[in-house]
Amino acid sequence: MGTPGEGLGRCSHALIRGVPESLASGEGAAAGLPALDLAKAQREHGVLGGKLRQRLGLQLVELPPEESLPLGPLLGDTAVIQGDTALITRPWSPARRPEVDGVRKALQDLGLRIVEMGDENATLDGTDVLFTGREFFVGLSKWTNHRGAEIVADTFRDFAVSTVPVTSSSHLRGLCGMGGPRTVVAGSSEAAQKAVRAMAVLTDHPYASLTLPDDAAADCLFLRPGQPGLPPFLLHRGGGDLPNSQEALQKLSDVTLVPVSCSELEKAGAGLSSLCLVLSTRPHN
Amino acid sequence: MTTEVGSASEVKKESDQLGADATKEKPKEVAENQQNQTTDPEEEKGSQSSPPTESQSSPRRQKKEKDPSESRGISRFIPPWLKKQKSYNLVVAKDGGDKKEPTEPVVEEQVLDKEESLPEEERQAKGDAEETAQRKQQEIKLDVKEEKPLQPVEEGRKEREGEKVKETQEAEVMDEAAKRETKEVQTNELKAEKASLKAPKKSRTAQCKVTLLDGTQYCCDLEKRAKGQVLFDKVCEHLNLLEKDYFGLVFQENPEQKNWLDPAKEIKRQLRNLPWLFSFNVKFYPPDPSQLTEDITRYFLCLQLRQDIASGRLPCSFVTHALLGSYTLQAELGDYDPEEHASHDLSDFQFAPTQTKELEEKVAELHKTHRGLSPAQADSQFLENAKRLSMYGVDLHHAKDSEGVDIKLGVCANGLLIYKDRLRINRFAWPKILKISYKRSNFYIKVRPAELEQFESTIGFKLPNHRAAKRLWKVCVEHHTFYRLVSPEQPPKAKFLTLGSKFRYSGRTQAQTRQASSLIDRPAPHFDRTSSKRVSRSLDGAPIDAVDQSLMKEFPGPAGEVSAQGPGVVSTAVVQDGDGRSDLRSPARAPHMPLIEGKKNSLRVEGDNIYVRHSNLMLEDLDKAQEEILKHQASISELKRNFMESTPEPRPNEWEKRRITPLSLQTQGSKGDLLFKDILSMKEKPQMVAARTVEEKPQEADKSSLETLNVVEEKKQAEVGKDERVIPEEMNGKELSPGRGPGEMRKVEPGLQKDSTSLSSESSGGSESEEDVGEYRPHQRVPEGSIREEQEEDAEEAAEAPGQAPKVADRERAVPAASPGPRAGAGGGPAEAGAQEKVVAPQLPAGRSADPGAAEQDAGEEAEAEPQKLNGEAAHVDTDVLPEIICCSEPPVVKTEMVTISDASQRTEISTKEVPIVQTETKTITYESPQIDGGARGDSGTLLTAQTITSESVSTTTTTHITKTVKGGISETRIEKRIVITGDGDIDHDQALAQAIREAREQHPDMSVTRVVVHKETELEEGDE
């Protein structure tokens, strides 16, 4: 279990999946996504991978893109990882469910304990799950239902798992994230603020909250790839495509801000939390 | 001799309950008993078996039957002077003031009823004649009880018989004594007391078996009437445990229902007829075990947690199971030894509910990494990890939300958690909760309104049954008190709050226990860690570690008295001096208390028991809540919305603050800490008494024939006008007489008063606060509470004005006439239905000397018993009586709706549909003595003070509302009592009513009873059970 909160962001590996051409073509459009610039999207994705590997020093595992899975790069929806356990989700969209296969395989190879949903009534998108280091919040959104959340609770029994209603058409992680072990970062939209208030009610632990102008900027990644003593990183979009949030993010102390942008991928519904999965193969160290 | 002993022990028990006074008397009684027995054991036997005796005794028995509850014990112990007072009252009522005469009549009645006195007895009687007399009445009742089939059999048949015999003898003695009795009652009393002191105490003991955390059993013999604290202390002593406030004793009604033994109450009463088996468990899980002072305390906590984990109560992930298991091994086995442990079969240990080989391997692997940790260190590591588990220290209770969905309510250090499946769907931190209440099987919390909202929301949950609701409520009260309050001290205003239910956490708070433990100055005690492995094996045949008999002796001591007094004080104060003593709490009053208490007790004993199951707190809250709900019902959704919105509020602010301040450790909510303080100090003894009555009855209250039901409605009416007469028609549609609020059981209004107090407008008995557990802002509340109370008329109010005898007694009689139809409540047995009325009836006709027998017969078997008793008291009154107005109405089935909002996250799904939770049949009967009101009502006068006191027992909640007003230079004191009896079918409501009335009279001899309203609700649904 480790020290509460201290385990947040501990990671040794990052898992990403390449951007297929189908994301920009008919597939994406069919999925209701706006047209996007494939090249730019791929460039953003490449930069992200580079930062994870070089800036943060993570072992980067990159799954090859699959044309049949246009949203494959959003693998954050396919698994919920905590410690040595990975819960393979059952995405709401039937079309996306095949995405979990590659991810499962990769995680298994990395030595994680794999847990399957195994309930056909359950739907869960990984980006509806926020792990604060002390507990889980599962957003009940259009993609995730109660049963899905229940399985999260069943899987991670050490932790409180609370449900948070998501009132906008986004995932919970699209509204908020962790800026540190005790800091929740949230957007300023009504939906984001509601979610944060709900979380405040549900939690037993005190968190500070930091409100950012942009909801999308709240989808940041607090990562601690190094040794315990080293300052952690915050992978965020404030310095890149969402400059308005940069100033607010700079209030966060004790973290090294690593700006990255993914505005083109965002058109496909992507955020930092969905574009990569981070894990530690040494959860107890 | 055996028999004798047994009886003696019982006596003691009972006496304990009564309180200090009782205690004093105990010895006497015992002595008496002994004498009687010794004198003629044969006779006793004879009396029982011999037909003639029986016939004579029959009336008694009948009476006894009536008092199902427990009058038996109580009356005995009531001090003589109390009885005097009773008689006084009666007299007063008739004549307007002769004290002496009244006493005699009472006695005579008794005599008449039971002329069985034996010569031998007479001899004995000399010394304590008066006392005896008093007792006899009580005793008689006692006998009745025993005979009741329903009553739990605490002791073997033999014992009962023995008791009966004794009682009979005593009764006889008493009769004689009574005859002799004159005006010198007081003197006699004094003598008696002295005598009692001399008399040796004999007590009976029961063997207690306590399963300890290591699986062994601790056995000791305990005096049967010992309070929970005695046993608990004994166990802690055995364990060498000083930091004991985190622990408690549990007894199980059934596998699913765990009850914490209340240290302040008698064990026997809590157990009812359950075996004396307990388990020693952690009651309050320390949020930070590292702050415990002693390793031994941590060790016990570890043992508890291992149980919790193995049983699945504390869910863990695989990794955590392994980690905790490895610390367990380190603590128990020491460093991993390849040679010794490699071959070790870990399957003997239970690390998880379902244990796999993989887990055992992981445990062994991790065990190796703990090399060098001492057992204490390993325990500490164990706890450091265990405390972070989300369900650590969460006490789960099954419930349903408004939609009937199964949820769980988790009570923990921080507040109340709502789970659906494994998911936390809502959370109410203590600071956010204003009030906690339960009514019937419903549990309610009133939540602080959100910043922008005006309304406090009340959220209801449906528990499996009444007892479950009460249990949950108690646990909440205790947790809040323990974790949130710094100290039990009560702020001055606290009074009102305190009024709540009688039950309060009586132990130390966490803050206090920490402080206390910081003073622990002893070398770390040595203790052996039992292998959990071994434990599992030995569980069944656990060795009995120790047998401790010393307990018995300890018991009788002062402790009992103290506790008893405490509670009593509150009630007493209120009653007696309406004038000056508004302060219930002040310790100074304590001295008065005993007297008062005694009165109450005596009253109860003789009378009927009024009882009610619900806590008033709940009622009031409920009522209020319900009203609110009703208001909102038009748009329930709105209410829900409010709730939803409100939830977040407290937090955001804190968060904001934190943002500014360093992220470090801000803990939430110091705000709420004070809530319960007030409550703590006062235990209300009266409640206890009541409780006793109720408890002893086997019936538990779950079925809940509800008398309370309509409370809500009642309140409404009450609010409408002060005049009771306004009423019920709306509700019931059939009310014969003009006045009474449907809900009111009885109001007693004092006519004029010596005190110069005259009664003022009827204030409703405060149903309000009984059970409020937590109010955040006590101050605010207080004022509000008082106001409300005034307005509200509660179903049952007993006001008594000193001096005004005449008015008083009558309501009871009225009943018979009223007896409308059977109230067939699902819950209430048939007996209940008719009982109230019947009881009353007999009395009326009977007069004092009246033929008890006849009356009894009329009434009905059960009813009969009471009437006689009543007669003693009531009869006098009757004579004087003014015309009574009786109204009976049988209202149609009422559907009560409750709005439940439990899921914070599900707003959208909340529907506006109203869920009928309970269907009930309600019946309202009002007895009123018209005259009194007239004077008072004219102008309401100026309100001087209003107090509400609530006491609660297992199945009864009593709310007393005292209002003082000044009208044209005359001050009036009005006391309204609302008694809610919650119970399953077994409760004899009639008796309860009768007793309540008696009590009211006894308590307030100078006041008159002006009105009695009986409202019965019977739950049709069986859902409760």
Side-chain angles (χ1 to χ4, degrees):
Chain A
M1 295 181 53
T3 305
E6 300 306 309
L8 179 64
R10 183 77 62 209
C11 56
S12 60
H13 291 68
L15 184 65
I16 62 175
R17 186 170 214 166
V19 179
E21 293 179 2
S22 58
L23 183 62
S25 62
E27 302 280 354
L33 300 173
L36 53 73
D37 180 340
L38 177 62
K40 186 179 179 187
Q42 288 177 329
R43 192 161 54 244
E44 286 174 351
H45 194 264
V47 171
L48 174 62
K51 294 213 172 175
L52 288 170
R53 181 173 57 233
Q54 296 177 356
R55 185 76 175 85
L56 303 184
L58 295 173
Q59 298 285 324
L60 186 67
V61 179
E62 183 166 4
L63 299 177
E66 284 195 33
E67 292 304 323
S68 62
L69 303 174
L71 293 179
L74 281 61
L75 42 60
D77 285 326
T78 62
V80 177
I81 300 171
Q82 195 283 317
D84 67 345
T85 303
L87 172 64
I88 304 302
T89 68
R90 185 167 183 276
W92 173 79
S93 166
R96 297 194 59 189
R97 289 178 192 159
E99 294 176 17
V100 304
D101 297 333
V103 174
R104 178 192 297 112
K105 177 71 166 56
L107 294 176
Q108 212 156 18
D109 291 345
L110 288 169
L112 297 186
R113 299 169 58 87
I114 303 297
V115 177
E116 303 286 348
M117 297 276 288
D119 185 333
E120 293 186 353
N121 294 320
T123 63
L124 176 68
D125 274 15
T127 52
D128 271 324
V129 179
L130 173 65
F131 179 63
T132 69
R134 298 150 194 261
E135 63 193 313
F136 285 92
F137 291 102
V138 180
L140 297 178
S141 66
K142 60 186 270 198
W143 296 278
T144 298
N145 63 18
H146 179 84
R147 181 65 188 136
E150 192 183 342
I151 293 175
V152 174
D154 238 357
T155 305
F156 303 103
R157 296 190 177 191
D158 292 347
F159 300 93
V161 178
S162 304
T163 55
V164 179
V166 175
T167 54
S168 70
S169 61
S170 60
H171 288 90
L172 179 63
R173 289 291 272 109
L175 301 174
C176 57
M178 297 303 290
R182 291 191 178 92
T183 306
V184 173
V185 177
S188 55
S189 72
E190 184 182 347
Q193 290 300 307
K194 274 191 179 176
V196 170
R197 283 198 298 268
M199 289 160 56
V201 168
L202 289 161
T203 185
D204 289 327
H205 307 285
Y207 298 104
S209 71
L210 176 64
T211 302
L212 304 178
D214 306 301
D215 282 0
D219 186 4
C220 53
L221 296 177
F222 177 83
L223 301 174
R224 238 196 295 235
Q227 295 304 312
L230 300 179
F233 296 92
L234 188 71
L235 202 61
H236 70 101
R237 296 169 63 189
D241 50 354
L242 299 172
N244 292 338
S245 297
Q246 182 167 20
E247 183 180 351
L249 283 167
Q250 284 173 343
K251 292 178 183 173
L252 294 173
S253 55
D254 300 333
V255 295
T256 301
L257 296 174
V258 179
V260 66
S261 61
C262 60
S263 58
E264 201 62 26
L265 288 166
E266 185 183 3
K267 293 176 183 176
L272 293 181
S273 60
S274 61
L275 290 174
C276 64
L277 282 172
V278 295
L279 57 116
S280 174
T281 54
R282 309 181 301 273
H284 292 292
N285 295 341
Chain B
M1 287 303 293
T2 346
T3 326
E4 295 179 3
V5 176
S7 62
S9 65
E10 284 210 359
V11 173
K12 288 183 179 180
K13 297 175 183 177
E14 294 177 355
S15 62
D16 265 18
Q17 295 177 351
L18 294 178
D21 297 351
T23 3
K24 293 179 181 178
E25 291 188 3
K26 295 176 184 178
K28 298 179 182 179
E29 293 183 359
V30 176
E32 291 182 2
N33 293 342
Q34 292 179 352
Q35 291 180 358
N36 293 340
Q37 293 177 354
T38 26
T39 333
D40 28 15
E42 298 178 358
E43 283 196 2
E44 293 182 0
K45 296 178 181 178
S47 65
Q48 291 182 351
S49 58
S50 69
T53 316
E54 288 238 353
S55 62
Q56 292 180 354
S57 60
S58 64
R60 297 177 185 174
R61 291 184 180 178
Q62 293 177 352
K63 291 181 180 180
K64 294 176 181 180
E65 290 178 353
K66 272 194 171 182
D67 295 20
S69 43
E70 345 210 286
S71 36
R72 42 156 129 170
I74 301 175
S75 53
R76 282 191 188 177
F77 302 94
I78 299 172
W81 42 277
L82 290 178
K83 290 187 175 181
K84 292 179 180 180
Q85 289 187 355
K86 290 183 180 180
S87 55
Y88 244 57
N89 296 341
L90 296 174
V91 175
V92 173
K94 293 181 178 182
D95 304 359
D98 235 349
K99 297 177 180 179
K100 296 179 180 179
E101 289 192 2
T103 41
E104 289 190 3
V106 176
V107 175
E108 289 182 1
E109 287 184 2
Q110 295 176 354
V111 175
L112 293 176
D113 295 348
K114 327 158 180 182
E115 292 184 357
E116 302 170 355
S117 62
L118 303 178
E120 295 178 357
E121 291 179 358
E122 292 182 1
R123 306 169 192 168
Q124 297 176 354
K126 300 175 183 178
D128 324 50
E130 292 183 359
E131 291 185 357
T132 344
Q134 294 178 354
R135 292 177 185 174
K136 83 174 170 186
Q137 292 181 355
Q138 300 171 354
E139 289 179 353
I140 293 171
K141 294 179 179 181
L142 296 174
D143 290 348
V144 175
K145 292 180 179 179
E146 292 178 355
E147 291 189 359
K148 267 196 173 183
L150 296 182
Q151 294 183 349
V153 179
E154 295 173 350
E155 306 172 1
R157 254 260 164 183
K158 296 179 179 178
E159 293 180 2
R160 290 184 180 179
E161 293 182 359
E163 289 186 0
K164 292 180 180 179
V165 176
K166 290 182 180 179
E167 291 180 356
T168 332
Q169 293 181 353
E170 288 184 1
E172 294 177 359
V173 175
M174 295 180 66
D175 290 348
E176 290 193 359
K179 294 177 180 178
R180 297 178 183 177
E181 275 192 4
T182 10
K183 308 169 182 180
E184 304 175 355
V185 179
Q186 294 180 354
T187 326
N188 292 335
E189 292 180 359
L190 294 176
K191 294 178 181 178
E193 289 183 359
K194 293 178 181 178
S196 63
L197 294 178
K198 297 176 181 177
K201 300 178 182 179
K202 285 189 179 180
S203 62
R204 242 216 199 154
T205 62
Q207 189 178 54
C208 300
K209 291 186 178 180
V210 181
T211 301
L212 304 177
L213 288 166
D214 62 1
T216 60
Q217 267 194 347
Y218 167 78
C219 296
C220 65
D221 288 332
L222 217 56
E223 195 170 318
K224 280 196 171 178
R225 45 171 193 173
K227 290 192 166 63
Q229 188 70 45
V230 177
L231 177 59
F232 182 67
D233 288 344
K234 220 59 193 170
V235 173
C236 291
E237 183 181 340
H238 169 70
L239 293 172
N240 200 16
L241 176 64
L242 293 182
E243 295 175 283
K244 56 190 181 184
D245 299 303
Y246 301 96
F247 301 84
L249 293 174
V250 166
F251 62 93
Q252 293 193 312
E253 249 169 280
N254 61 55
E256 294 180 356
Q257 295 187 333
K258 291 198 314 180
N259 295 279
W260 290 105
L261 187 67
D262 187 341
K265 291 165 90 177
E266 288 187 20
I267 296 170
K268 182 181 171 186
R269 287 174 46 210
Q270 298 181 62
L271 290 178
R272 296 186 174 122
N273 53 354
L274 296 172
W276 290 51
L277 300 176
F278 307 90
S279 60
F280 178 79
N281 291 101
V282 173
K283 185 173 189 180
F284 302 112
Y285 289 75
D288 186 358
S290 67
Q291 288 194 26
L292 295 175
T293 298
E294 297 197 305
D295 287 339
I296 191 171
T297 313
R298 272 186 286 274
Y299 169 63
F300 290 124
L301 178 57
C302 282
L303 292 179
Q304 177 69 63
L305 289 167
R306 283 167 196 157
Q307 272 184 23
D308 293 344
I309 290 168
S311 67
R313 281 194 300 273
L314 183 57
C316 299
S317 66
F318 174 86
V319 174
T320 301
H321 277 137
L323 184 62
L324 296 178
S326 67
Y327 285 123
T328 298
L329 290 187
Q330 181 69 24
E332 294 181 358
L333 305 179
D335 290 347
Y336 180 82
D337 180 341
E339 294 180 359
E340 182 181 348
H341 298 149
S343 59
H344 224 93
D345 185 3
L346 296 182
S347 63
D348 286 347
F349 293 85
Q350 188 171 11
F351 302 117
T354 56
Q355 187 161 321
T356 61
K357 201 65 189 173
E358 181 188 8
L359 177 60
E360 292 171 11
E361 290 169 357
K362 186 72 176 175
V363 168
E365 176 187 331
L366 292 172
H367 182 199
K368 297 173 188 173
T369 68
H370 302 324
R371 180 168 298 280
L373 288 185
S374 69
Q377 287 172 323
D379 280 348
S380 292
Q381 287 301 309
F382 178 95
L383 294 176
E384 284 307 297
N385 284 280
K387 77 176 186 186
R388 291 185 201 127
L389 295 169
S390 72
M391 299 305 288
Y392 173 83
V394 177
D395 187 17
L396 286 179
H397 298 253
H398 290 273
K400 288 182 190 295
D401 68 6
S402 61
E403 265 119 42
V405 175
D406 288 321
I407 59 174
K408 289 177 189 168
L409 303 183
V411 183
C412 67
N414 295 324
L416 192 59
L417 303 169
I418 315 298
Y419 293 92
K420 187 169 170 182
D421 301 317
R422 288 180 179 273
L423 293 169
R424 184 184 294 180
I425 58 175
N426 211 337
R427 174 178 177 275
F428 301 95
W430 291 126
K432 187 177 175 69
I433 299 176
L434 294 172
K435 187 183 281 188
I436 302 172
S437 58
Y438 68 94
K439 180 180 179 180
R440 264 185 266 121
S441 61
N442 299 324
F443 175 80
Y444 302 88
I445 57 177
K446 180 188 283 184
V447 180
R448 184 185 296 279
E451 290 181 357
L452 300 180
E453 295 178 359
Q454 296 179 349
F455 299 101
E456 297 163 341
S457 354
T458 296
I459 301 161
F461 303 94
K462 178 84 172 172
L463 277 286
N465 55 52
H466 168 72
R467 293 181 60 77
K470 181 169 185 177
R471 200 164 35 239
L472 171 58
W473 178 83
K474 280 178 143 185
V475 169
C476 284
V477 171
E478 291 174 331
H479 276 67
H480 176 268
T481 305
F482 184 80
Y483 290 111
R484 302 294 298 180
L485 300 189
V486 174
S487 75
E489 288 185 3
Q490 305 176 354
K493 290 187 178 182
K495 301 177 179 181
F496 284 67
L497 296 179
T498 332
L499 301 181
S501 88
K502 64 173 183 185
F503 175 81
R504 293 279 118 88
Y505 175 63
S506 56
R508 286 193 287 213
T509 64
Q510 178 176 235
Q512 290 175 319
T513 195
R514 280 180 178 168
Q515 190 170 9
S517 57
S518 70
L519 300 177
I520 291 176
D521 182 19
R522 68 172 182 183
H526 175 269
F527 58 95
D528 295 327
R529 283 180 167 77
T530 310
S531 166
S532 55
K533 176 178 164 187
R534 189 180 80 198
V535 171
S536 57
R537 292 174 182 170
S538 61
L539 273 180
D540 299 338
I544 296 174
D545 292 352
V547 175
D548 199 336
Q549 297 186 349
S550 60
L551 294 182
M552 306 168 36
K553 296 181 179 179
E554 295 182 358
F555 186 65
E561 294 182 352
V562 173
S563 62
Q565 290 187 354
V569 174
V570 175
S571 60
T572 311
V574 175
V575 175
Q576 286 194 338
D577 318 12
D579 328 13
R581 313 177 175 177
S582 41
D583 309 342
L584 302 179
R585 338 144 181 174
S586 68
R589 297 219 166 140
H592 298 292
M593 313 256 336
L595 296 178
I596 296 169
E597 290 183 358
K599 292 180 179 181
K600 279 196 172 183
N601 295 340
S602 62
L603 293 177
R604 290 184 180 176
V605 172
E606 296 190 358
D608 337 325
N609 334 319
I610 296 187
Y611 286 108
V612 185
R613 14 161 149 162
H614 304 285
S615 55
N616 294 340
L617 299 185
M618 322 266 334
L619 296 181
E620 275 212 342
D621 284 350
L622 293 182
D623 297 352
K624 263 196 168 181
Q626 298 242 5
E627 291 181 4
E628 292 181 2
I629 292 173
L630 293 178
K631 292 178 184 177
H632 292 291
Q633 265 184 348
S635 55
I636 291 182
S637 56
E638 187 177 329
L639 185 141
K640 291 184 179 179
R641 196 196 312 153
N642 290 342
F643 156 72
M644 306 291 306
E645 292 175 359
S646 64
T647 33
E649 43 167 291
R651 274 305 177 95
N653 297 339
E654 293 185 2
W655 280 31
E656 296 300 329
K657 292 178 185 175
R658 284 183 198 128
R659 202 210 288 183
I660 298 171
T661 56
L663 301 181
S664 54
L665 315 166
Q666 298 183 351
T667 347
Q668 328 170 348
S670 45
K671 302 176 182 178
D673 296 353
L674 305 186
L675 303 186
F676 292 65
K677 292 182 179 178
D678 306 352
I679 300 171
L680 297 180
S681 59
M682 333 175 30
K683 300 175 180 179
E684 306 176 14
K685 191 188 192 165
Q687 299 175 349
M688 299 198 45
V689 176
R692 187 199 304 160
T693 354
V694 176
E695 290 183 3
E696 292 197 357
K697 294 183 178 182
Q699 4 125 339
E700 296 301 10
D702 295 351
K703 297 180 178 179
S704 66
S705 42
L706 312 182
E707 301 181 0
T708 318
L709 268 194
N710 292 341
V711 175
V712 174
E713 299 172 356
E714 297 173 355
K715 288 184 177 180
K716 294 178 182 178
Q717 295 177 353
E719 291 181 356
V720 175
K722 291 185 177 181
D723 292 88
E724 298 90 352
R725 299 185 178 172
V726 179
I727 347 212
E729 295 181 352
E730 312 167 2
M731 313 267 327
N732 308 339
K734 309 173 180 179
E735 293 190 355
L736 302 181
S737 60
R740 28 25 167 336
E744 308 177 354
M745 302 268 323
R746 35 160 167 173
K747 289 187 177 181
V748 180
E749 299 178 359
L752 318 178
Q753 302 25 22
K754 309 170 177 179
D755 308 31
S756 75
T757 50
S758 55
L759 300 190
S760 51
S761 56
E762 312 167 356
S763 46
S764 49
S767 43
E768 291 227 333
S769 22
E770 288 193 81
E771 297 191 351
D772 295 0
V773 175
E775 288 206 358
Y776 274 178
R777 309 174 182 177
H779 305 293
Q780 295 182 348
R781 241 216 157 177
V782 173
E784 292 181 1
S786 60
I787 293 172
R788 296 175 187 172
E789 295 171 358
E790 296 175 359
Q791 295 179 348
E792 304 169 354
E793 294 185 357
D794 295 358
E796 311 131 13
E797 306 171 354
E800 311 172 4
Q804 316 260 343
K807 307 170 181 181
V808 183
D810 325 56
R811 331 112 193 205
E812 298 138 1
R813 303 93 183 235
V815 180
S819 60
R823 320 160 174 172
E832 292 183 357
Q836 293 181 348
E837 299 131 23
K838 293 177 181 178
V839 173
V840 175
Q843 295 179 352
L844 294 175
R848 310 166 181 174
S849 55
D851 11 22
E856 294 175 357
Q857 294 179 353
D858 298 353
E861 302 171 354
E862 293 185 355
E864 295 176 2
E866 286 200 349
Q868 292 184 347
K869 296 178 182 178
L870 289 178
N871 294 344
E873 300 175 356
H876 306 285
V877 176
D878 294 346
T879 21
D880 319 336
V881 182
L882 304 179
E884 301 174 354
I885 301 173
I886 302 172
C887 300
C888 304
S889 57
E890 300 181 4
V893 177
V894 177
K895 292 184 180 181
T896 307
E897 294 179 354
M898 181 175 72
V899 177
T900 303
I901 303 173
S902 58
D903 188 342
S905 56
Q906 306 272 345
R907 286 185 197 171
T908 47
E909 298 182 5
I910 296 174
S911 59
T912 50
K913 66 184 172 184
E914 302 174 358
V915 182
I917 293 188
V918 182
Q919 281 193 334
T920 56
E921 281 187 1
T922 57
K923 193 181 197 176
T924 302
I925 302 173
T926 303
Y927 315 91
E928 187 170 0
S929 58
Q931 10 161 330
I932 300 173
D933 297 346
R937 289 183 187 167
D939 48 29
S940 53
T942 304
L943 174 65
L944 290 181
T945 61
Q947 294 180 330
T948 301
I949 301 174
T950 303
S951 60
E952 184 189 357
S953 62
V954 173
S955 58
T956 307
T957 302
T958 303
T959 302
T960 304
H961 187 69
I962 303 176
T963 311
K964 294 182 183 180
T965 56
V966 176
K967 252 191 222 176
I970 299 176
S971 65
E972 290 184 349
T973 300
R974 176 178 296 253
I975 301 176
E976 294 185 1
K977 281 193 181 180
R978 174 197 267 190
I979 302 173
V980 180
I981 303 176
T982 305
D984 297 343
D986 294 346
I987 294 181
D988 184 336
H989 297 281
D990 296 337
Q991 290 185 358
L993 174 61
Q995 175 151 352
I997 293 171
R998 279 189 197 171
E999 289 180 7
R1001 273 195 226 135
E1002 292 185 2
Q1003 291 179 3
H1004 314 277
D1006 12 29
M1007 299 180 80
S1008 58
V1009 178
T1010 54
R1011 187 198 225 180
V1012 178
V1013 178
V1014 179
H1015 191 70
K1016 272 198 181 181
E1017 293 187 8
T1018 303
E1019 197 164 329
L1020 297 180
E1021 276 190 359
E1022 294 182 357
D1024 267 6
E1025 280 294 62

